[in-house]
């Protein structure tokens, strides 16, 4: 089985690429991501184009198309990759964008808002002066704080990114 061009291009050592992909994937797994999505994400991140087909990913990672498909489905739900059709083809390419971390983190805002609403209901249901209600209120305050900090941090990141990498 030959390696995809992305892993063997000029100046690329396929063994070093593979070592990076597996090492970074292991770090993602340690942080809580499932193994196959972590491997697919790392492979996409390490590709020069940031885009690979299912067949290319399968070849590079030595896994089945079904494994790639499940991993991509998960990554797309997490806003970490997107699917694109190749012009004039039925084949899809999977792409990681330079702002994937930004997108993944900001998509969590919806989850935080839901947690805040549920915790607010918990405080009202349990009573703000009960031990459980106070604990719930503190948890709610934490998530409200984090939500505000993420918004401010993302704005600082946009400015920093523009200064460091230019508009893009």
């Amino acid at each position: 089985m030959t390696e995809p061009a992305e892993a063997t291009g000029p100046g690329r050592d396929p063994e070093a690429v593979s070592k990076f992909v597996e090492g970074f994937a292991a770090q993602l797994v340690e942080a809580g991501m499932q193994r196959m999505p972590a491997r697919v994400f790392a492979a996409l991140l390490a590709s020069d184009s940031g885009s690979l087909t299912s067949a290319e990913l399968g070849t590079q990672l030595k896994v089945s198309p079904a494994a790639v498909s499940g991993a991509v489905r998960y990554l797309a739900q997490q806003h970490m990759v997107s699917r694109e059709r190749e012009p004039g083809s039925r084949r899809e390419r999977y792409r990681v964008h330079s702002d994937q971390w930004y997108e993944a983190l900001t998509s969590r805002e919806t989850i935080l808002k839901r947690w805040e609403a549920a915790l607010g209901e918990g405080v009202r249901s349990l009573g703000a002066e009960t031990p459980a209600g106070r604990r719930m209120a503190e948890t709610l305050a934490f998530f409200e704080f984090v939500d505000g900090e993420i918004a401010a941090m993302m704005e600082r990141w946009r400015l920093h990114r523009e200064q460091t990498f230019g508009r893009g």
Side-chain angles (χ1 to χ4, degrees):
M1 201 179 288
T2 60
E3 293 289 325
E6 287 283 346
T8 60
R12 291 242 178 183
D13 173 359
E15 192 173 313
V17 172
S18 180
K19 186 175 180 177
F20 165 77
V21 167
E22 296 304 327
F24 188 59
Q27 295 296 317
L28 293 172
V29 168
E30 193 171 308
M33 188 182 282
Q34 299 168 6
R35 185 171 188 272
M36 190 54 59
R39 292 181 72 214
V40 167
F41 181 75
L44 286 167
L45 194 62
S47 69
D48 283 339
S49 67
S51 170
L52 296 169
T53 66
S54 180
E56 291 167 334
L57 284 162
T59 300
Q60 182 177 340
L61 300 174
K62 298 174 180 59
V63 297
S64 71
V68 171
S69 178
V72 168
R73 185 173 33 259
Y74 171 83
L75 292 167
Q77 289 171 345
Q78 302 303 312
H79 304 282
M80 295 180 76
V81 301
S82 61
R83 298 170 190 251
E84 301 172 352
R85 287 262 184 223
E86 287 188 338
S89 170
R90 291 181 47 184
R91 284 197 322 178
E92 287 186 328
R93 296 190 74 75
Y94 307 116
R95 177 174 302 282
V96 65
H97 298 279
S98 60
D99 64 349
Q100 79 276 348
W101 296 113
Y102 175 86
E103 290 298 323
L105 191 56
T106 55
S107 72
R108 300 295 189 259
E109 184 178 13
T110 303
I111 294 168
L112 285 177
K113 292 292 185 199
R114 279 192 249 145
W115 289 355
E116 289 171 18
L119 288 164
E121 180 59 34
V123 171
R124 287 186 294 281
S125 298
L126 297 168
E129 298 307 315
T130 67
R134 281 193 299 275
R135 187 172 47 253
M136 200 97 29
E138 185 175 342
T139 303
L140 171 58
F142 172 77
F143 282 118
E144 289 170 339
F145 176 81
V146 167
D147 192 24
E149 289 299 304
I150 288 174
M153 181 180 63
M154 297 321 275
E155 180 56 33
R156 289 191 308 273
W157 165 246
R158 279 193 293 275
L159 294 171
H160 176 77
R161 181 178 183 219
E162 188 175 305
Q163 291 169 351
T164 305
F165 299 103
R167 292 188 185 268

